[in-house]
Amino acid sequence: MKNVAPTNVCPACGARFTCGMNAGMAECWCASLPPVLSVPEAHAGQCYCPECLTKKIGEAARR
């Protein structure tokens, strides 16, 4: 992904990161990950940062 200003803040850790969709890109980095989790209901419209989403996918896979 090209260098774009952060568009989101992770609801889990507070890290700033870029969502490709919010940045107007054709695809986001998260599209390459398995679609295991939905956006947390308590944080509607927010996404996890790459580190937290990868961690949460790993946790879900171990269940």
Side-chain angles (χ1 to χ4, degrees), residues 16-47:
R16 294 182 51 79
F17 66 99
T18 300
C19 167
M21 304 316 299
N22 286 344
M25 302 170 111
E27 189 172 274
C28 186
W29 57 267
C30 68
S32 66
L33 300 175
V36 175
L37 304 171
S38 60
V39 173
E41 207 172 297
H43 303 285
Q46 296 183 15
C47 302

Side-chain angles (χ1 to χ4, degrees), residues 3 7-8 25 29 34 37 54 58:
N3 190 10
T7 58
N8 292 53
M25 302 170 111
W29 57 267
L37 304 171
T54 300

